[in-house]
Amino acid sequence: GAGVSQSPRYKVAKRGQDVALRCDPISGHVSLFWYQQALGQGPEFLTYFQNEAQLDKSGLPSDRFFAERPEGSVSTLKIQRTQQEDSAVYLCASSRQVRDEQFFGPGTRLTVL
Amino acid sequence: AQSVTQPDIHITVSEGASLELRCNYSYGATPYLFWYVQSPGQGLQLLLKYFSGDTLVQGIKGFEAEFKRSQSSFNLRKPSVHWSDAAEYFCAGERNTGNQFYFGTGTSLTVIP
């Protein structure tokens, strides 16, 4: 595709449910990033992949958050036992190589009730 | 600690007036610096970036930014604002020994006729 796509665009979950958010990066992009953007805030780094390797997961807020990119393309961010404080927009970005411009997807807005 | 600060939460300017959005960074080494714009319902779009070299960088949509090491600033400017420039603007930095992006909290721009 022409850009980074994310699905679903909107997700409502009941507290305690597990959710999975998908990111399709631009074809051929080596690097993939996940960010969390709370209302009225700037995006905050969660994790980073280079191809299939997760090189940095220091931003994941708890062990309920898990990300994977098994074949070095599509990535999934999974949140287990969702809490209300997980409500945010989750942004995915990809870049052609390390230290290059990041292209962002439209985000998935997660609301936990 | 590494951080990017945007002191202005909200700015209102008249259409045709000049614009300057402030960004300050705190990094030990020279960071890579970026300005992104986020319109409602849209993904983050890169306006411009500074890696090294010329401290005045030109971006898209008539924007420019100047890196000033002495002031630890990377302010975004536009000589004449258009109504379509109304959006949220984020400054971001990447320490050149890592791959984490640090975003500011954003500045919301309103353009009045």
Side-chain angles (χ1 to χ4, degrees):
Chain A
V4 178
S5 61
Q6 293 185 245
S7 61
R9 291 292 310 275
Y10 302 91
K11 177 69 178 177
V12 178
K14 291 183 180 179
R15 190 173 57 180
Q17 280 186 328
D18 298 348
V19 299
L21 312 180
R22 177 187 169 105
C23 172
D24 285 82
I26 294 173
S27 178
H29 277 198
V30 168
S31 299
L32 186 145
F33 303 80
W34 283 98
Y35 296 85
Q36 181 190 59
Q37 185 175 19
L39 190 64
Q41 300 295 315
E44 292 196 3
F45 171 84
L46 293 177
T47 187
Y48 157 67
F49 290 86
Q50 187 172 331
N51 295 308
E52 69 278 3
Q54 189 175 19
L55 299 185
D56 189 340
K57 54 182 181 179
S58 61
L60 296 176
S62 79
D63 58 9
R64 296 185 295 104
F65 286 71
F66 173 74
E68 60 183 5
R69 193 187 185 198
E71 297 179 357
S73 55
V74 172
S75 177
T76 304
L77 176 67
K78 297 179 179 178
I79 309 174
Q80 298 176 325
R81 304 180 304 282
T82 52
Q83 304 294 314
Q84 284 188 322
E85 61 262 29
D86 300 334
S87 296
V89 175
Y90 291 85
L91 298 169
C92 176
S94 69
S95 63
R96 191 177 300 112
Q97 56 190 3
V98 178
R99 318 205 64 80
D100 205 348
E101 172 188 348
Q102 293 185 23
F103 294 83
F104 282 81
T108 295
R109 181 176 297 278
L110 173 65
T111 302
V112 182
L113 303 177
Chain B
Q2 304 162 117
S3 70
V4 172
T5 305
Q6 293 180 249
D8 304 305
I9 297 173
H10 185 247
I11 284 183
T12 299
V13 299
S14 298
E15 190 168 15
S18 64
L19 171 70
E20 183 169 24
L21 302 182
R22 296 185 290 165
C23 173
N24 296 100
Y25 68 90
S26 60
Y27 291 86
T30 300
Y32 291 6
L33 295 166
F34 307 80
W35 275 99
Y36 281 85
V37 61
Q38 188 176 39
S39 299
Q42 305 291 318
L44 286 158
Q45 182 183 22
L46 180 70
L47 289 176
L48 46 79
K49 59 188 177 185
Y50 172 75
F51 283 2
S52 64
D54 272 346
T55 57
L56 183 64
V57 294
Q58 302 297 321
I60 62 171
K61 304 184 180 184
F63 286 93
E64 66 177 27
E66 186 170 11
F67 173 69
K68 293 185 177 180
R69 184 188 302 276
S70 61
Q71 298 177 18
S72 297
S73 69
F74 187 59
N75 294 349
L76 181 72
R77 301 194 294 248
K78 186 169 184 177
S80 178
V81 170
H82 188 262
W83 64 267
S84 61
D85 293 324
E88 189 84 17
Y89 290 80
F90 292 96
C91 182
E94 182 194 41
R95 191 167 168 223
N96 61 8
T97 57
N99 49 56
Q100 290 189 17
F101 261 39
Y102 295 90
F103 281 84
T105 50
T107 298
S108 176
L109 175 65
T110 297
V111 180
I112 56 176

